PDB file of all heavy atoms in Angstrom:
ATOM      1  N   ILE A 230       2.863  25.845   7.002  1.00  0.00           N
ATOM      2  CA  ILE A 230       3.922  26.746   7.457  1.00  0.00           C
ATOM      3  C   ILE A 230       5.020  25.936   8.135  1.00  0.00           C
ATOM      4  O   ILE A 230       4.758  25.157   9.055  1.00  0.00           O
ATOM      5  CB  ILE A 230       3.365  27.805   8.417  1.00  0.00           C
ATOM      6  CG1 ILE A 230       2.290  28.653   7.712  1.00  0.00           C
ATOM      7  CG2 ILE A 230       4.476  28.696   8.938  1.00  0.00           C
ATOM      8  CD1 ILE A 230       1.617  29.679   8.597  1.00  0.00           C
ATOM      9  N   VAL A 231       6.247  26.120   7.672  1.00  0.00           N
ATOM     10  CA  VAL A 231       7.398  25.391   8.207  1.00  0.00           C
ATOM     11  C   VAL A 231       8.490  26.393   8.566  1.00  0.00           C
ATOM     12  O   VAL A 231       8.845  27.256   7.758  1.00  0.00           O
ATOM     13  CB  VAL A 231       7.952  24.386   7.183  1.00  0.00           C
ATOM     14  CG1 VAL A 231       9.085  23.566   7.799  1.00  0.00           C
ATOM     15  CG2 VAL A 231       6.863  23.468   6.664  1.00  0.00           C
ATOM     16  N   GLU A 232       8.997  26.288   9.769  1.00  0.00           N
ATOM     17  CA  GLU A 232      10.069  27.202  10.193  1.00  0.00           C
ATOM     18  C   GLU A 232      11.435  26.744   9.698  1.00  0.00           C
ATOM     19  O   GLU A 232      12.251  27.528   9.261  1.00  0.00           O
ATOM     20  CB  GLU A 232      10.070  27.323  11.723  1.00  0.00           C
ATOM     21  CG  GLU A 232       8.843  28.046  12.273  1.00  0.00           C
ATOM     22  CD  GLU A 232       8.701  29.458  11.737  1.00  0.00           C
ATOM     23  OE1 GLU A 232       9.727  30.126  11.524  1.00  0.00           O
ATOM     24  OE2 GLU A 232       7.557  29.887  11.521  1.00  0.00           O
ATOM     25  N   ASP A 233      11.706  25.432   9.827  1.00  0.00           N
ATOM     26  CA  ASP A 233      13.008  24.918   9.378  1.00  0.00           C
ATOM     27  C   ASP A 233      12.896  23.417   9.098  1.00  0.00           C
ATOM     28  O   ASP A 233      11.879  22.790   9.365  1.00  0.00           O
ATOM     29  CB  ASP A 233      14.099  25.183  10.418  1.00  0.00           C
ATOM     30  CG  ASP A 233      13.713  24.684  11.807  1.00  0.00           C
ATOM     31  OD1 ASP A 233      13.201  23.548  11.913  1.00  0.00           O
ATOM     32  OD2 ASP A 233      13.923  25.425  12.780  1.00  0.00           O
ATOM     33  N   GLY A 234      13.957  22.855   8.530  1.00  0.00           N
ATOM     34  CA  GLY A 234      14.004  21.427   8.244  1.00  0.00           C
ATOM     35  C   GLY A 234      13.392  21.032   6.925  1.00  0.00           C
ATOM     36  O   GLY A 234      13.429  19.857   6.535  1.00  0.00           O
ATOM     37  N   PHE A 235      12.812  21.983   6.199  1.00  0.00           N
ATOM     38  CA  PHE A 235      12.150  21.687   4.930  1.00  0.00           C
ATOM     39  C   PHE A 235      12.725  22.593   3.845  1.00  0.00           C
ATOM     40  O   PHE A 235      12.808  23.809   4.021  1.00  0.00           O
ATOM     41  CB  PHE A 235      10.639  21.912   5.052  1.00  0.00           C
ATOM     42  CG  PHE A 235       9.877  21.813   3.749  1.00  0.00           C
ATOM     43  CD1 PHE A 235       9.621  20.579   3.182  1.00  0.00           C
ATOM     44  CD2 PHE A 235       9.411  22.945   3.106  1.00  0.00           C
ATOM     45  CE1 PHE A 235       8.903  20.481   2.005  1.00  0.00           C
ATOM     46  CE2 PHE A 235       8.692  22.862   1.927  1.00  0.00           C
ATOM     47  CZ  PHE A 235       8.438  21.616   1.372  1.00  0.00           C
ATOM     48  N   VAL A 236      13.127  22.007   2.744  1.00  0.00           N
ATOM     49  CA  VAL A 236      13.647  22.766   1.602  1.00  0.00           C
ATOM     50  C   VAL A 236      12.652  22.628   0.455  1.00  0.00           C
ATOM     51  O   VAL A 236      12.421  21.522  -0.058  1.00  0.00           O
ATOM     52  CB  VAL A 236      15.030  22.255   1.166  1.00  0.00           C
ATOM     53  CG1 VAL A 236      15.519  23.036  -0.047  1.00  0.00           C
ATOM     54  CG2 VAL A 236      16.032  22.372   2.313  1.00  0.00           C
ATOM     55  N   PHE A 237      12.047  23.734   0.072  1.00  0.00           N
ATOM     56  CA  PHE A 237      11.058  23.714  -1.004  1.00  0.00           C
ATOM     57  C   PHE A 237      11.743  23.425  -2.337  1.00  0.00           C
ATOM     58  O   PHE A 237      12.780  24.005  -2.660  1.00  0.00           O
ATOM     59  CB  PHE A 237      10.333  25.055  -1.091  1.00  0.00           C
ATOM     60  CG  PHE A 237       9.274  25.097  -2.156  1.00  0.00           C
ATOM     61  CD1 PHE A 237       7.999  24.644  -1.895  1.00  0.00           C
ATOM     62  CD2 PHE A 237       9.559  25.595  -3.422  1.00  0.00           C
ATOM     63  CE1 PHE A 237       7.019  24.677  -2.876  1.00  0.00           C
ATOM     64  CE2 PHE A 237       8.585  25.637  -4.402  1.00  0.00           C
ATOM     65  CZ  PHE A 237       7.306  25.179  -4.131  1.00  0.00           C
ATOM     66  N   GLU A 238      11.158  22.519  -3.112  1.00  0.00           N
ATOM     67  CA  GLU A 238      11.671  22.200  -4.441  1.00  0.00           C
ATOM     68  C   GLU A 238      10.616  22.570  -5.479  1.00  0.00           C
ATOM     69  O   GLU A 238       9.521  22.002  -5.481  1.00  0.00           O
ATOM     70  CB  GLU A 238      12.026  20.716  -4.544  1.00  0.00           C
ATOM     71  CG  GLU A 238      13.189  20.307  -3.651  1.00  0.00           C
ATOM     72  CD  GLU A 238      13.592  18.860  -3.875  1.00  0.00           C
ATOM     73  OE1 GLU A 238      13.281  18.312  -4.962  1.00  0.00           O
ATOM     74  OE2 GLU A 238      14.231  18.285  -2.975  1.00  0.00           O
ATOM     75  N   ASP A 239      10.951  23.505  -6.335  1.00  0.00           N
ATOM     76  CA  ASP A 239      10.008  23.926  -7.359  1.00  0.00           C
ATOM     77  C   ASP A 239       9.832  22.812  -8.383  1.00  0.00           C
ATOM     78  O   ASP A 239      10.684  21.940  -8.543  1.00  0.00           O
ATOM     79  CB  ASP A 239      10.507  25.200  -8.059  1.00  0.00           C
ATOM     80  CG  ASP A 239       9.382  25.979  -8.707  1.00  0.00           C
ATOM     81  OD1 ASP A 239       8.267  25.440  -8.833  1.00  0.00           O
ATOM     82  OD2 ASP A 239       9.626  27.148  -9.086  1.00  0.00           O
TER      83      ASP A 239
END
Side-chain angles (χ1 to χ4, degrees):
I230 300 177
V231 184
E232 292 301 325
D233 52 45
F235 172 76
V236 178
F237 181 85
E238 294 185 22
D239 203 347

